[in-house]
Structure formats: C-alpha cells, structure tokens
Amino acid sequence: MDLRLIECVPNFSDGRDQKVIDAISSAIRNTKGVNLVGVDPGQSTNRTVYTFVGAPKSVIEGAFNAVKVALELIDMTKHSGEHPRLGAMDVCPFVPVRNSTMDDCVECARVLGRRLGEELDIPIYLYGFASTLEYRKTVPQIRAGEYEGLKDKITLDDWKPNFGPARFVPKWGASMVGARKFLLAYNINMLSTKEQAHRIALDLREQGRGKGKEGKLKGVQGIGWWLKEANMAQISFNLTDEELCPLHVAFEEAKKGAEALQLSVVGSELVGLVPLSAITTAANYYIEKENLCIFDPEQKVRLAIDRLGLSSLYPFDPKDRIIEWKVEATDPPKPLLDISVTSFVKEVRARSPAPGGGSVAALVGALGASLISMVGLLTYGKKQWENLDKQMRSLIPPLYSIIDDVLPLVEADTAAFESYVKACRETKNAKSDEAQSALIEAINVPLELARKLSSLWPHIAKIAALGNPNCLSDIQVGIKCLETGIWGARCNVLINCSSLVDSVTKTDLVKEANFLYDTAKHHANRIIRTLEKDHPNEESQ
C-alpha cells in the first residue's frame, strides 16, 4: 500500500458552465484511489480550481481523466475571463502533502506531461521544480502573451513544449504541468476601483513594475481586478512560498497600501484548499501582536479567520478548506486511534504481534505529554500564579504540538511492522532489499518517537518547577510516562536492529536510541528528585 499522499490542483478554463464543471469533477471523483476535496469555480475569472489527493499513480490518473473530459468540452477560441490563462487546462501542479517529497511530485508531473503529449496530442510545458530551464520555470514566464500569443510563441525554439506538438492547438492552447510547494491563491477585498487595486498589487508583488522597480513582497505574484458579483475590487495574489510571504504579511501590507490611498480593505478570500500551517502562522502573528494566549489549534484557526476576514465574502469552513482536516475527515477509520480505550487494550492483549510495544510506547508518551500540558493549563490563568502566565504561554505550546505529532505514531508503528512482515513473506527473504527497506521504516518510527519526546525535557523541567503544586502527582506520572515511552521506543529499535544487514547503519541507530534513553533517564530522575525535595509533605502522605 502506497502511503504517500500528493495533492493535485488543476485549473481548468471554465467557471460558468455547470455541466462542464460537473463532468470534470465526475472524471476525477470516479478515479480509483482519488479523493476530490475541492471544486472552486469563479464566474468573473471563468476558471475552476479542482483539488484532489491520492497516491502518486492515482493522482496522475485522476488528472489524465479530467483532461480527457475537458478536451471534449472546453473550446478556448470562445473563452474569456478576468484570469490570465494559457489553455483549457491552464496549470496542473503536484504538491507534497503527507509522506511524500518534491521528487515524488516532479516524477508525477513528468509522467503526466508525457502521457498528455503522447496520448492526447496536447502541448505541455513543465514548470516549477519539474522544469530544468531557468527562463521558463515560473507560471508568469511561460504564460506571458497568454493564449492569444501562443500561436507565434510555440513555434520559437526557446518555447517548444516539453511534450506534445510544437504547434498551436486552437481549441486547447497549451498546459503547464509542474511540481511546487503549496501555492496560496489569496484575494484581498478592496472598496476601490480595479485600477487602484492593481496599483497596490504592482507595489507589492515581487516583479513590481519591472526591472529596477521591484515590489516589496518576495514569492508573490499579483494583479488587481474587478469582482462583478461582489461589486468590489480585489488584489489577487499568488503566494508561491508561504515561508517567504505568509498570509498575514500580504494582508497587512495591502492594508498599508490601501490606507496610503485612503481606501478600505474589507477582508480577504482564499481560493481552494490551504495548509494548516498557513492559517496557524497567521494566527501566531496576531497572538503575539495582540498579546493573546491561545493554545488550541481550532481556536487559532478561528482567530486567523476573524483577523484576515476570510468569511467576508463567503463562509470559510475550516473543516472543508484546510487540507489536513479535509483529508483527515475522509480518511478511512484508524484501527487504533479511533477505538475506545477498552477496545485498544483488547487489541493489545490479543494473540497477535501487533499492535505491540511500539504502539503502546507512543500512546504512553502522548499521555505523558498530555498530563504535563494539563499541569501548565491548570497553572495558567489562575490568580494566585498570574505572575507565571508569561512563562506558561511559552511552555505549553510545544507540548501541544508534540502530542499531535506523536499520536499518529501509534498507528504508524503497527503499520510499519506489518509492512516488514509482508515484505519478508513476499520475498521469502528477510535480507532482501524490499524487506530491509521496510525494516528501516519499522526502526525509524520508534526512533522518531524517542526524538520527539526527548525534545520536551527543557519545558518539562520548567513546568515541574513552576507549576500548580496541587498537580504534583500528575507531573510525576507524566514524567514517568515520557521516560517509559522513550524506553519502549529504544527497546523496539534494538530488537529490530538485530535483523538489520547494514552493520554501520545498525551501530548508528543503536547508539542514538541508547543516548536518547540515557538522557531521558537522567532528566526524569533529576526532575523527580527535585520534586520530592521541594514537596516533602506531599511525598510523606
């Protein structure tokens, strides 16, 4: 089973004909192994953004099926809209989501591009990480001149497509297929003219107004347009790298530009799905700016929606628009995490090797971090310890994030072990490349558990020293759970390493596992001794 998850976001040049939109949606939805999680048509842009996820082979097939339908239904000789475009399928990016890499996405782009060129006779340009030519790596570079200029451009030596015919196909145009990071299609609502919105966009986008007149924001493409259905203008941004320019930076800079022109920004709009990190980064900015204290991920998302005005045009439903939450909601049931405590215990006690010590160690570690997080929360906001609020604000969030990281390892440990057993059975050789590769994964899961839990010791020591004294037993139990989780992870690494062929890798993995447990034992003993010394009465009862 391929556990890699890749997002594909083809943009087709029809946002007005519901029959066309539905036909393309059905082609994607009916592809085995594909989960269609978003269909976002735009009347003014006359363009629909489709978002679906799946394993590499599945998303390639889904995109190919969508193009076959679009080839029959879309005629670019009759197309017009506010959004720049090159062809009936303008762009088709592949984006790594879970257990996948950019290399996986590059391979998807090249396989799909070759198939579209050879089987459907469509001109295809590779872009983003899939392109090897610097002068035609970005969408604006390739799209320059748009569909109308393609007739002459495609015949030039420098602009021959990577796949398909080097000639103009009037009904289709050409398509760009590539690999990229998450691109945030982000529109900022303006009570202004189209020209005023465009003026601000030129000041902010990286390209600016041309050479020597670059804009303020790196990794940003932008134009201004008129949104007829809302009777307002928008600055339409493509944020190509959220690390270079997060949502809140684009929003706040647009507000500054609007204020300078005595104009009003009235919220913003995200098109398509968005990674959780983009929303929480914005939330963290406003939390710091306004000196707020919010730990819960759902509350952070709520804050970002409010501050960015993401529901000002249409309701922004995070469960439907944040890709991790959307995919999680449609994932198959989790055999261990979705069952009751009683059922989990019965699964462990059953006459089968999995779930075993690795999954239990991950659960115990998550419980330990949860207990210590609880101590922090029962200290924060209490009047008698309000002098500690600032410290608790910085100590609690890492515990929250580690819990979310560790819980999936409960399932992952069992899945990795079963994959190893399957590889051994199929190859009939535990030393085969397939079995050894699966074994490395079975070792890496508990090792990752130990690494994540080990990162918490500095925070735990401070919460133990400062936290609510009424929670003494909770933090003691939490510390022992963390130590046990790391010890259990070490045990799994050692027993799995005994079957590892590569002696150098084996030595390194065993050494790291032993170090992480020795460190955990040292910290746990030291913190508990300090607690016993500082709370002698409680210990004697």
Side-chain angles (χ1 to χ4, degrees):
M1 180 180 179
D2 193 340
L3 297 176
R4 291 175 294 174
L5 194 67
I6 287 175
E7 180 192 52
C8 184
V9 196
N11 289 216
F12 286 92
S13 296
D14 194 312
R16 298 171 184 167
D17 190 331
Q18 195 59 47
K19 290 182 179 179
V20 174
I21 295 167
D22 290 345
I24 294 173
S25 298
S26 295
I28 297 169
R29 191 179 288 111
N30 293 333
T31 303
K32 186 178 179 181
V34 159
N35 185 350
L36 179 63
V37 293
V39 179
D40 294 286
Q43 284 281 329
S44 296
T45 58
N46 198 13
R47 179 185 186 91
T48 300
V49 179
Y50 301 82
T51 305
F52 57 95
V53 295
K57 289 183 179 178
S58 297
V59 290
I60 291 169
E61 197 64 31
F64 186 81
N65 291 340
V67 171
K68 282 197 297 184
V69 170
L71 191 59
E72 296 295 321
L73 300 179
I74 297 177
D75 185 350
M76 287 303 293
T77 65
K78 301 173 183 177
H79 182 271
S80 64
E82 287 285 334
H83 202 292
R85 74 281 187 268
L86 192 67
M89 181 178 74
D90 186 42
V91 295
C92 181
F94 292 92
V95 185
V97 175
R98 194 172 63 194
N99 301 323
S100 55
T101 66
M102 191 59 71
D103 286 342
D104 294 328
C105 294
V106 168
E107 179 65 15
C108 286
R110 291 176 179 167
V111 171
L112 177 64
R114 184 175 293 106
R115 284 190 64 188
L116 294 177
E118 293 176 357
E119 297 179 38
L120 301 183
D121 209 30
I122 292 171
I124 299 295
Y125 292 96
L126 294 176
Y127 81 98
F129 289 92
S131 174
T132 58
L133 301 170
E134 285 301 321
Y135 72 92
R136 49 190 257 187
K137 205 171 187 73
T138 69
V139 167
Q141 287 172 329
I142 300 170
R143 196 195 271 149
E146 293 190 48
Y147 167 81
E148 288 77 11
L150 187 61
K151 183 176 182 179
D152 295 326
K153 183 176 181 178
I154 200 169
T155 62
L156 302 175
D157 287 341
D158 284 346
W159 289 101
K160 288 182 178 178
N162 295 91
F163 304 107
R167 56 178 171 77
F168 185 51
V169 181
K171 189 172 185 290
W172 184 268
S175 296
M176 295 170 276
V177 178
R180 60 161 172 78
K181 298 180 180 180
F182 265 101
L183 182 146
L184 301 174
Y186 184 49
N187 302 329
I188 296 173
N189 307 325
M190 300 283 302
L191 298 183
S192 70
T193 67
K194 169 185 172 180
E195 291 74 21
Q196 288 169 323
H198 189 63
R199 176 177 169 185
I200 297 171
L202 293 178
D203 290 336
L204 296 180
R205 68 183 187 181
E206 182 172 10
Q207 179 187 354
R209 299 169 187 274
K211 192 171 182 180
K213 298 180 180 179
E214 289 80 7
K216 293 177 70 173
L217 303 179
K218 298 293 183 185
V220 174
Q221 302 156 0
I223 58 174
W225 62 33
W226 183 253
L227 194 66
K228 184 178 180 181
E229 58 264 36
N231 192 30
M232 67 171 63
Q234 283 186 323
I235 302 170
S236 178
F237 283 137
N238 279 342
L239 310 182
T240 62
D241 189 334
E242 63 173 289
E243 293 179 8
L244 289 176
C245 182
L247 287 173
H248 67 271
V249 171
F251 185 68
E252 294 297 326
E253 289 297 332
K255 283 173 63 178
K256 289 178 186 177
E259 288 167 5
L261 297 176
Q262 297 181 307
L263 302 170
S264 179
V265 167
V266 286
S268 61
E269 172 193 31
L270 278 163
V271 180
L273 273 72
V274 59
L276 179 61
S277 61
I279 301 293
T280 54
T281 297
N284 290 335
Y285 166 77
Y286 291 108
I287 287 169
E288 183 175 353
K289 179 183 178 182
E290 300 170 27
N291 198 28
L292 304 175
C293 184
I294 301 173
F295 306 119
D296 186 88
E298 289 189 11
Q299 291 185 357
K300 285 188 174 186
V301 169
R302 183 184 293 270
L303 177 72
I305 292 171
D306 178 77
R307 296 299 188 266
L308 297 172
L310 291 176
S311 291
S312 55
L313 271 181
Y314 311 103
F316 183 92
D317 181 354
K319 295 189 185 304
D320 197 49
R321 301 295 300 282
I322 294 175
I323 188 164
E324 290 92 337
W325 292 3
K326 178 85 170 180
V327 170
E328 187 178 275
T330 56
D331 271 349
K334 302 177 183 68
L336 299 178
L337 291 177
D338 287 346
I339 60 178
S340 68
V341 173
T342 300
S343 297
F344 184 89
V345 172
K346 289 181 178 178
E347 282 288 331
V348 173
R349 82 178 183 188
R351 195 165 181 258
S352 62
S359 291
V360 171
L363 181 59
V364 169
L367 287 170
S370 299
L371 273 170
I372 296 164
S373 175
M374 180 191 79
V375 174
L377 289 169
L378 290 175
T379 306
Y380 174 78
K382 299 282 188 178
K383 188 172 183 181
Q384 62 266 51
W385 300 299
E386 63 184 356
N387 61 307
L388 299 176
D389 281 359
K390 184 176 180 180
Q391 286 131 302
M392 291 300 148
R393 286 187 183 204
S394 64
L395 293 172
I396 296 170
L399 291 158
Y400 254 79
S401 61
I402 286 293
I403 294 164
D404 290 338
D405 289 344
V406 165
L407 276 175
L409 300 181
V410 175
E411 301 280 2
D413 188 86
T414 296
F417 175 77
E418 290 175 344
S419 294
Y420 171 59
V421 171
K422 182 181 178 182
C424 291
R425 188 184 302 120
E426 290 179 348
T427 62
K428 296 182 173 57
N429 181 7
K431 295 182 179 181
S432 67
D433 290 344
E434 295 85 349
Q436 288 291 299
S437 177
L439 180 61
I440 287 288
E441 181 59 25
I443 294 168
N444 280 333
V445 173
L447 194 57
E448 185 63 16
L449 170 65
R451 289 169 182 153
K452 289 183 181 298
L453 295 179
S454 294
S455 70
L456 293 176
W457 291 117
H459 306 281
I460 294 166
K462 290 177 183 177
I463 289 180
L466 300 171
N468 187 333
N470 298 318
C471 299
L472 175 62
S473 63
D474 299 305
I475 199 157
Q476 288 171 315
V477 173
I479 289 167
K480 276 300 181 182
C481 282
L482 284 165
E483 181 188 0
T484 301
I486 296 171
W487 179 74
R490 169 185 171 271
C491 291
N492 272 265
V493 171
L494 297 187
I495 196 167
N496 287 330
C497 277
S498 64
S499 301
L500 202 59
V501 173
D502 186 338
S503 59
V504 175
T505 300
K506 179 192 297 187
T507 300
D508 290 342
L509 292 171
V510 169
K511 182 178 180 181
E512 183 179 3
N514 283 331
F515 171 77
L516 290 170
Y517 175 60
D518 289 342
T519 303
K521 187 165 56 173
H522 166 74
H523 283 299
N525 290 338
R526 178 179 60 82
I527 297 169
I528 287 176
R529 281 198 307 268
T530 301
L531 285 170
E532 292 172 350
K533 180 181 176 182
D534 291 345
H535 302 274
N537 293 334
E538 289 87 340
E539 288 300 314
S540 64
Q541 291 177 355

